[in-house]
Amino acid sequence: MTLNFPNASRSFDERRNLVRFWGYDSALEVCFFIEVGALHKLLPQTQRMDAEWMGADCLDAFDSARERILEAACKVYSRRRPGPYLLGAEDF
């Protein structure tokens, strides 16, 4: 089956400091998380704002790098480890 992302939904998990998003493999929903550090790596200009970052900033950064994040999510998912799947800076 092929992983796809028909739903643009994403949310910020303040407790864990992650952005959560979902993909689908056929009818199976697949949960992904991306660390704030990975967003900083994708968008280096955000590193200066680290102490000030809020959930909305993380979601904006996610939206700005969405295509690269989804490509990395597909690679992580293809390893077929049990989910949920966490994307870190090392995945970019």
Side-chain angles (χ1 to χ4, degrees):
M1 294 294 157
T2 302
L3 185 65
N4 62 64
F5 300 90
N7 184 345
S9 295
R10 75 283 185 275
S11 64
F12 183 68
D13 184 330
E14 189 173 337
R15 185 177 63 79
R16 294 195 272 173
N17 207 27
L18 303 164
V19 173
R20 177 189 319 242
F21 63 103
W22 297 267
Y24 296 87
D25 184 347
S26 189
L28 178 66
E29 184 176 73
V30 183
C31 186
F32 291 90
F33 299 95
I34 183 168
E35 298 174 335
V36 169
L39 294 172
H40 286 317
K41 184 171 183 181
L42 286 166
L43 302 164
Q45 67 274 21
T46 62
Q47 291 176 0
R48 289 176 265 120
M49 303 184 307
D50 195 25
E52 305 164 15
W53 256 36
M54 306 297 274
D57 297 317
C58 291
L59 295 176
D60 288 345
F62 180 94
D63 292 342
S64 294
R66 184 173 191 77
E67 289 304 314
R68 289 181 64 195
I69 292 168
L70 299 183
E71 288 173 17
C74 288
K75 289 178 187 173
V76 168
Y77 182 73
S78 70
R79 296 178 194 146
R80 297 290 184 205
R81 289 184 243 162
Y85 300 91
L86 177 66
L87 281 71
E90 65 278 358
D91 293 307
F92 297 95

